[in-house]
Amino acid sequence: MANVAVIGAQWGDEGKGKIVDWLSQRADVVVRFQGGHNAGHTLVIDGVEFRLSLLPSGIVRPGKLSIIGSGVVVDPWALIREIDAIKVKGVTVTPDNLKLAENATLILPLHGEIDRAREEARGADKIGTTGRGIGPAYEDKVGRRAIRVCDLADPASLGGKIDNLLLHHNALLRGLGAKELERGPILAALLEIAPKVLPFADSAWRLLDDAKKAGKRVLFEGAQGAMLDVDHGTYPFVTSSHTHPGQAASGAGIGPGNVGYVLGITKAYTTRVGSGPFPTELKDDIGETLGQKGKEFGVVTGRKRRCGWFDAVMVRQASKVSGIDGIALTKLDVLDGFKEIKVCIGYKLDGKTLDRLPPLAEAQEKVEPIYETIEGWSDSTRGARSWSQLPALAVKYVRRVEELIETPVAILSTSPEREDTVLVRDPFA
């Protein structure tokens, strides 16, 4: 069985949705294994745009089983809205093609309220969360007070579990000077949504074990990126889950030896949404040009992304920590027309040269990028589907990126369209 885990190798928004969709034609099962509906994947298929947050990208392909694993925190109302929205575009989601891990943690409306209240209380020191309650839901999970999908099937005990949840959160809300929450509305809302969600609930680990026995191919779909990992990212400006491929195993419910090939997704430049260090950020006309050409706005929030040159130091670090076997390089076409392209090959900090991103946030803010300048190209790469269709200088840029990150490029994406892809190595091979 040849399985593949897809993860972001930067700060998210690398174009994972298109790559997962493209790879899913070779897979039988597609699994989301972490994150929540703060993650957004955009697919463009025959000119039709699909924006997914919770649903695995394989859901748009007939005959594929999509699974939302227990490592994902699930807003049940957002899930049903997403299912309804994609139905309008001709994709029908049923319990036959979508399974939701019965032990997955639920995001409740109170999580979003607390998320937003805490961000507001931080003032100028905001972390930059999406305000959708992802962090507080993960906190409840590790605090052993979460409401899970399986709890919806046991209304008799649901009220007591809500009481336990509110014991913690109302104390927090009192401290923030916010209004406390009552059990009744929360219980009523969960009982109302339960019949819509429970038909999708199943044992994800058992389904994956069955797939393994049948020799089926599994595609593990990550959200966010390696540098947003709660351990290995730019802490505290990170997400609340592990974004690395090790989470693909635990967040789906399968042994780590079954994860297989690790494909890291990275843009040909760098972007970041929200707060946090960004050594190669460009606050000039070049940064604006990258943002405009790349249409750099968040899928979920619509927030404008910060843009900068490719940071080879950061991606190399992400590749080493994540055990990335190959890179899918996306949005190469955005660099078309630049006379010169810069790549960060090191940092300067307090008179010293660094070949890694330091762990301290204050140091990450202070590092200065060391750039290598590469000649750009004037011909278009957009829509190329083979190496022979790429300008020689574009190929030279890709090869230099490979050298600097010490990881080969396995896939090259030259537009948002599904088929505008150059396959160097099939990760499933």
Side-chain angles (χ1 to χ4, degrees), residues 365-378:
E365 288 282 8
K366 289 173 61 179
V367 297
E368 297 178 15
I370 300 171
Y371 285 119
E372 176 181 306
T373 301
I374 299 173
E375 186 180 357
W377 54 91
S378 57

Side-chain angles (χ1 to χ4, degrees), residues 6-20 32 34 36-43 51-53 57 128-130 132 221-229 237-239 243 264-275 277-278 290-291 293-308 310 314-315 328-334 413 415-416:
V6 174
I7 67 164
Q10 295 166 308
W11 281 296
D13 307 308
E14 301 96 347
K16 294 182 293 295
K18 174 199 166 168
I19 300 299
V20 171
R32 269 285 308 275
Q34 50 78 219
H37 64 306
N38 55 341
H41 293 168
T42 301
L43 315 179
R51 295 190 174 193
L52 307 179
S53 294
S57 297
T129 75
T130 60
R132 282 166 165 72
E221 178 180 11
Q224 289 94 32
M227 299 313 293
L228 289 175
D229 184 88
F237 301 97
V238 293
T239 193
T243 60
I265 316 298
T266 177
K267 285 177 181 169
Y269 51 101
T270 310
T271 63
R272 179 165 198 170
V273 172
S275 306
F278 188 169
L290 288 171
K293 292 181 67 176
K295 298 180 180 178
E296 297 297 352
F297 295 90
V299 175
V300 172
T301 64
R303 289 186 295 180
K304 185 178 180 181
R305 296 176 186 141
R306 300 151 66 191
C307 298
F310 185 80
M314 184 182 75
V315 175
L329 191 67
T330 66
K331 291 199 169 184
L332 182 66
D333 56 300
V334 174
S413 173
S415 95

Side-chain angles (χ1 to χ4, degrees), residues 156-174:
S157 65
L158 192 54
K161 292 178 180 178
I162 294 173
D163 288 338
N164 184 51
L165 191 67
L166 294 184
L167 181 67
H168 171 83
H169 287 298
N170 277 337
L172 179 62
L173 289 169
R174 281 196 298 273

Side-chain angles (χ1 to χ4, degrees), residues 392-410:
L393 290 173
V395 174
K396 185 178 180 181
Y397 177 77
V398 173
R399 295 305 187 200
R400 183 55 179 150
V401 165
E402 288 181 309
E403 293 174 356
L404 291 169
I405 66 175
E406 299 177 12
T407 309
V409 170

Side-chain angles (χ1 to χ4, degrees), residues 127-415:
I127 289 176
T129 75
T130 60
R132 282 166 165 72
I134 284 46
Y138 272 116
E139 291 172 30
D140 282 345
K141 179 178 181 177
V142 298
R144 294 166 292 186
R145 56 181 173 265
I147 306 297
R148 303 191 297 170
V149 173
C150 53
D151 292 322
L152 299 179
D154 186 14
S157 65
L158 192 54
K161 292 178 180 178
I162 294 173
D163 288 338
N164 184 51
L165 191 67
L166 294 184
L167 181 67
H168 171 83
H169 287 298
N170 277 337
L172 179 62
L173 289 169
R174 281 196 298 273
L176 291 172
K179 183 180 179 182
E180 294 186 33
L181 301 165
E182 297 179 0
R183 175 217 267 196
I186 299 171
L187 178 59
L190 286 173
L191 293 176
E192 181 183 11
I193 198 68
K196 299 178 182 179
V197 173
L198 285 173
F200 297 100
D202 209 328
S203 176
W205 69 266
R206 181 185 57 79
L207 293 168
L208 289 169
D209 187 58
D210 290 344
K212 175 184 174 182
K213 291 176 181 176
K216 293 183 177 180
R217 290 174 168 179
V218 181
L219 184 59
F220 300 95
E221 178 180 11
Q224 289 94 32
M227 299 313 293
L228 289 175
D229 184 88
V230 70
D231 274 340
H232 302 287
T234 48
Y235 190 91
F237 301 97
V238 293
T239 193
S240 300
S241 61
H242 292 289
T243 60
H244 286 232
Q247 180 65 23
S250 59
I254 196 168
N258 297 302
V259 171
Y261 188 96
V262 179
L263 181 69
I265 316 298
T266 177
K267 285 177 181 169
Y269 51 101
T270 310
T271 63
R272 179 165 198 170
V273 172
S275 306
F278 188 169
T280 65
E281 182 175 10
L282 296 169
K283 300 179 180 180
D284 56 14
D285 290 344
I286 295 176
E288 284 293 321
T289 299
L290 288 171
Q292 291 172 8
K293 292 181 67 176
K295 298 180 180 178
E296 297 297 352
F297 295 90
V299 175
V300 172
T301 64
R303 289 186 295 180
K304 185 178 180 181
R305 296 176 186 141
R306 300 151 66 191
C307 298
W309 293 120
F310 185 80
D311 190 336
V313 181
M314 184 182 75
V315 175
R316 182 174 65 240
Q317 183 169 323
S319 182
K320 301 294 185 184
V321 173
S322 305
I324 292 174
D325 296 302
I327 285 286
L329 191 67
T330 66
K331 291 199 169 184
L332 182 66
D333 56 300
V334 174
L335 297 181
D336 292 352
F338 281 96
K339 292 182 179 180
E340 292 183 342
I341 300 169
K342 293 184 179 182
V343 176
C344 177
I345 59 172
Y347 305 124
K348 287 183 179 179
L349 177 64
D350 298 331
K352 297 181 180 179
T353 300
L354 302 180
D355 63 354
R356 64 183 177 91
L357 193 64
L360 192 65
E362 288 76 8
Q364 293 170 357
E365 288 282 8
K366 289 173 61 179
V367 297
E368 297 178 15
I370 300 171
Y371 285 119
E372 176 181 306
T373 301
I374 299 173
E375 186 180 357
W377 54 91
S378 57
D379 294 334
S380 175
T381 64
R382 189 175 180 85
R385 300 182 182 183
S386 68
W387 284 113
S388 62
Q389 294 177 324
L390 293 172
L393 290 173
V395 174
K396 185 178 180 181
Y397 177 77
V398 173
R399 295 305 187 200
R400 183 55 179 150
V401 165
E402 288 181 309
E403 293 174 356
L404 291 169
I405 66 175
E406 299 177 12
T407 309
V409 170
I411 295 172
L412 193 63
S413 173
T414 57
S415 95

